[in-house]
Amino acid sequence: MTASKKSLRTCKKGHQYFKSSDCPTCPICEQERKPDDGFLSLLSAPARRALENNEITTLQQLSNYSEKEILQFHGMGPASIPKLRTALHSKGLSFKN
Ligand SMILES: [Zn+2]
């Protein structure tokens, strides 16, 4: 016997998915939510949210932060830093020192 009961849900866009928790996030929407500036799509979902929660959605905004500051964001892992660095360099930008 299992205590966790999954229920079928339908999100605002009509995607159907199973969730056992109270988390209202639709995994399909989550996947489709591709940001304009391609660099955010290079990241894992937690890392992307970490930037978005800090209102960083463009490389220009990202370049206002140092690597240390970015790493302090909740959800951001060290593995994301090289990707971000590469993305910045591709636009002639870099992290703040
Ligand atoms: Zn959805």
Side-chain angles (χ1 to χ4, degrees):
M1 281 238 285
T2 167
S4 74
K5 215 173 149 199
K6 294 199 172 193
S7 58
L8 179 65
R9 309 204 183 176
T10 308
C11 82
K12 279 181 276 183
K13 287 188 180 172
H15 304 131
Q16 295 196 313
Y17 59 103
F18 285 96
K19 274 267 167 132
S20 52
S21 69
D22 291 331
C23 175
T25 316
C26 165
I28 299 160
C29 286
E30 192 76 351
Q31 289 242 311
E32 284 184 351
R33 219 159 43 90
K34 289 273 178 191
D36 297 338
D37 217 334
F39 83 103
L40 283 173
S41 61
L42 303 171
L43 303 174
S44 63
R48 191 171 68 229
R49 274 197 294 271
L51 293 182
E52 287 173 346
N53 288 341
N54 288 278
E55 289 171 6
I56 300 169
T57 54
T58 68
L59 288 167
Q60 202 72 49
Q61 288 164 330
L62 183 65
S63 68
N64 293 325
Y65 293 82
S66 69
E67 290 184 24
K68 258 188 193 155
E69 286 168 328
I70 296 291
L71 274 170
Q72 277 163 12
F73 294 163
H74 178 73
M76 183 58 66
S80 300
I81 295 296
K83 295 180 197 168
L84 292 174
R85 199 186 295 134
T86 305
L88 283 168
H89 284 179
S90 74
K91 300 267 169 149
L93 298 164
S94 62
F95 283 112
K96 202 182 79 179
N97 284 316

